[in-house]
Amino acid sequence: MSTTETPTTTPDQLGPQPAVTSRLRRLLKRLVRPAVAALGGVLLYLSFPPRPLWWLALPAFAVLGWALRGRSWKAGLGLGYLFGLGFLLPLLVWTGVEVGPGPWLGLAAIEALFIGAAGAGTAVVSRLSLWPLWAAALWVAAEAARARAPFGGFPWGKVAFGQADGTFLPLAALGGTPVLGFAVALCGFGLYECVRQVLRLRSTGSVRKGAAVAALLTVVVPVGASFGARGLVSDSAEDGTATVALIQGNVPRLGLDFNSQRRAVLDYHVRETLRLADKVKAGKEPQPDFVLWPENSSDVDPFADDDARAVIDQTAKTIGAPISVGAVVGGYGTKLYNEQVQWDPKLGPVATYDKRQIQPFGEYIPLRGFISTFAPGYTSMVRQDFDRGTKPGVFTMAGTKVGIATCYEAAFDWAVRDTVTAGAQLISVPSNNATFDRSEMTYQQLAMSRVRAVEHSRTVTVPVTSGVSAVIMPDGKVVQKTAMFTPASLVAKVPLRSSQTPATRLGTLPEWALVALAAAGLTWAITKSARGRRGTRS
């Protein structure tokens, strides 16, 4: 009779398994905060247009607060950077639509450094009382820095620009985008602190009354302030009204090479304006007081090309109103400008505005010699750098003062504000988004213009070559808009206003006050920490 031996497992064979499990658990535990920080950034991205999910910014900041509170500054730097990547990588994907992933990934990686710095600072102040206040101020300070550097800054993705549909929007009229963004960040960080206090109460049975009240105030005060600021928002006509027409001529093809048929783009805008003239003649549309064309609607220089000049001149006469024409002027050995030209039906070109905040790597190449050594193909796409204008653009068109902020300039607080302080009763943001296909870029830019409308209490018009063109009331509501890549015209009777909001009058003062607040909180936290270390040693 044979016997079968049963295999046995020795203790040595069993021993390593609990150790492996323990190491795996520790690894997963270490990965929780980084993963949550990155997902928090994605939440913030989802709060931006075209989605009307503005409220997602609050849990995004709450998640960031959880990830950062009590961490070291080094951990805060890394976690903040991951939050920044989670936010900016999907938000800025449109920057690589036509030029590949390199510029997109590089831009997101650089801009996320500013958010990483805010994360490091937030970790440092997170042990202070009222830490949500200091953390929100640090966020605004980081936004202020990246709106200025490098290469003139890149404020795209300011928290305020995701709030065009939100409860906090009226705060733009109180203190501009810094105050609006501060309120959102404060409320989000405060939301986490409120949850933390509730969990402490459940676990210990008690909380410090002062800490609980402070946590509640960080949520209640920004929300209450936003309701209080609604009195600053008005779309009443202080200086009468104007009938404005926006022309979206469309482009012959998508992508970067739309410029290869420059005359076709001009012809498209002429054709759509003449169609509107026919509708006006037939009584289907009211006679516009003035007409607004988008950026690059005439990449043929009308000052150098007699045929382009004659076509624009005849179009202005036919529609019977002045036209603001977006033109590329100069080049070929002379200075090159991205220019808006005010074209009078009787006098021809009577005024110009040269774009001042030109786009790095789009309208000029910083460090051209250095970059051309390893990316000659890229620098060849921008053969000649555009020059900058020096004065704010305000056209007087049929008695209305129209402020001009061309495309990319809408992202910069100063470039919009100084048109209003120079007397603009209405703001126009002529743009060209044809190089970004059907991406979210045009909706993000439209949201900026909605925030600017409330910030300065002005009607804002957005004529775009390929869409979305829109008419925005001073309260931020879009009353007319076009579809993308569709020839169209918009005609609207809009209110004209001349009063200035607190945001307009105060200018950069609220931003610098919040930067000072961030610096004060950081200094206090560092000083407190140093005293604690000295006390421990003694």
Side-chain angles (χ1 to χ4, degrees):
M1 185 177 72
S2 63
T3 59
T4 303
E5 294 184 2
T6 303
T8 59
T9 303
T10 66
D12 289 342
Q13 292 173 309
L14 285 173
Q17 292 180 2
V20 170
T21 303
S22 178
R23 285 197 298 269
L24 182 60
R25 286 175 179 171
R26 286 198 301 270
L27 177 62
L28 291 175
K29 189 175 180 179
R30 289 174 184 171
L31 292 176
V32 167
R33 285 184 188 271
V36 169
L39 288 173
V42 174
L43 272 182
L44 185 57
Y45 155 69
L46 292 174
S47 74
F48 274 66
R51 295 159 296 277
L53 304 176
W54 59 271
W55 52 270
L56 282 178
L58 302 182
F61 279 105
V63 163
L64 181 61
W66 175 84
L68 294 175
R69 192 177 187 283
R71 302 292 98 187
S72 68
W73 73 266
K74 292 180 181 179
L77 178 66
L79 292 168
Y81 189 73
L82 289 172
F83 182 89
L85 289 178
F87 170 45
L88 294 172
L89 279 172
L91 185 81
L92 302 178
V93 68
W94 52 267
T95 60
V97 167
E98 293 294 334
V99 294
W104 160 50
L105 295 173
L107 178 62
I110 291 170
E111 294 299 314
L113 289 171
F114 292 92
I115 298 177
T122 298
V124 171
V125 303
S126 66
R127 293 178 176 83
L128 298 177
S129 56
L130 284 178
W131 71 267
L133 181 72
W134 314 115
L138 281 162
W139 182 274
V140 174
E143 287 191 337
R146 74 184 190 90
R148 291 167 171 82
F151 311 125
F154 187 76
W156 211 282
K158 272 190 168 185
V159 169
F161 296 147
Q163 297 296 307
D165 292 302
T167 296
F168 298 98
L169 180 61
L171 290 171
L174 182 63
T177 59
V179 168
L180 174 52
F182 173 76
V184 175
L186 176 61
C187 195
F189 286 132
L191 185 63
Y192 163 64
E193 181 62 12
C194 285
V195 172
R196 196 176 75 86
Q197 293 295 330
V198 169
L199 292 176
R200 173 179 285 184
L201 178 63
R202 290 182 62 181
S203 63
T204 65
S206 65
V207 293
R208 289 187 297 113
K209 185 177 180 180
V213 171
L216 187 61
L217 287 175
T218 58
V219 175
V220 172
V221 169
V223 174
S226 67
F227 281 97
R230 291 188 175 187
L232 300 173
V233 180
S234 173
D235 61 357
S236 63
E238 296 174 332
D239 303 325
T241 61
T243 301
V244 57
L246 281 64
I247 302 298
Q248 178 176 301
N250 205 10
V251 295
R253 61 170 66 93
L254 308 188
L256 290 174
D257 64 344
F258 87 95
N259 279 326
S260 64
Q261 293 190 11
R262 295 179 176 184
R263 180 53 195 263
V265 177
L266 172 58
D267 288 344
Y268 283 13
H269 286 83
V270 167
R271 182 173 63 189
E272 196 59 37
T273 307
L274 295 179
R275 284 177 180 169
L276 175 60
D278 289 339
K279 292 178 184 178
V280 171
K281 187 176 180 180
K284 297 179 180 179
E285 292 283 7
Q287 169 65 44
D289 295 316
F290 50 91
V291 179
L292 302 173
W293 283 10
E295 177 188 34
N296 300 134
S297 47
S298 177
D299 276 356
V300 180
D301 183 350
F303 296 105
D305 188 296
D306 291 340
D307 187 46
R309 182 186 182 103
V311 167
I312 296 171
D313 200 56
Q314 184 57 48
T315 304
K317 286 181 170 62
T318 303
I319 193 67
I323 303 175
S324 179
V325 178
V328 174
V329 174
Y332 305 103
T334 64
K335 289 186 176 181
L336 186 64
Y337 292 103
N338 185 339
E339 192 166 84
Q340 286 287 312
V341 183
Q342 181 181 345
W343 209 284
D344 188 86
K346 295 179 180 178
L347 304 175
V350 294
T352 60
Y353 167 66
D354 299 321
K355 187 176 182 182
R356 294 169 293 164
Q357 187 66 43
I358 56 178
Q359 183 181 350
F361 303 102
E363 293 171 306
Y364 79 102
I365 304 293
L367 309 173
R368 179 180 286 271
F370 173 72
I371 290 174
S372 64
T373 60
F374 60 88
Y378 189 79
T379 55
S380 67
M381 289 192 295
V382 184
R383 293 187 177 88
Q384 181 178 345
D385 293 342
F386 280 82
D387 283 85
R388 300 174 185 270
T390 58
K391 297 179 181 179
V394 179
F395 292 164
T396 302
M397 306 181 74
T400 297
K401 292 187 178 297
V402 180
I404 308 292
T406 304
C407 196
Y408 184 58
E409 292 183 320
F412 293 83
D413 295 348
W414 64 269
V416 181
R417 176 181 176 266
D418 67 4
T419 68
V420 179
T421 57
Q425 299 166 298
L426 173 150
I427 300 169
S428 180
V429 184
S431 303
N432 173 26
N433 300 335
T435 55
F436 302 112
D437 205 348
R438 297 182 182 274
S439 69
E440 294 181 358
M441 182 270 186
T442 190
Y443 301 104
Q444 294 170 10
Q445 190 177 52
L446 180 61
M448 291 179 193
S449 296
R450 293 179 62 191
V451 172
R452 298 304 183 196
V454 174
E455 182 178 15
H456 300 294
S457 195
R458 294 291 187 273
T459 298
V460 176
T461 58
V462 188
V464 186
T465 50
S466 54
V468 173
S469 300
V471 178
I472 305 165
M473 291 292 105
D475 60 2
K477 291 184 174 62
V478 177
V479 292
Q480 290 190 45
K481 65 178 181 178
T482 68
M484 292 181 71
F485 296 102
T486 304
S489 61
L490 302 175
V491 182
K493 187 177 183 180
V494 298
L496 303 177
R497 295 176 60 81
S498 57
S499 64
Q500 294 186 3
T501 64
T504 307
R505 292 194 297 269
L506 292 171
T508 60
L509 187 60
E511 183 177 53
W512 287 116
L514 290 169
V515 170
L517 183 65
L522 203 54
T523 301
W524 180 22
I526 293 170
T527 303
K528 187 176 180 181
S529 177
R531 287 175 179 171
R533 287 195 298 270
R534 286 196 297 269
T536 302
R537 286 197 297 269
S538 62

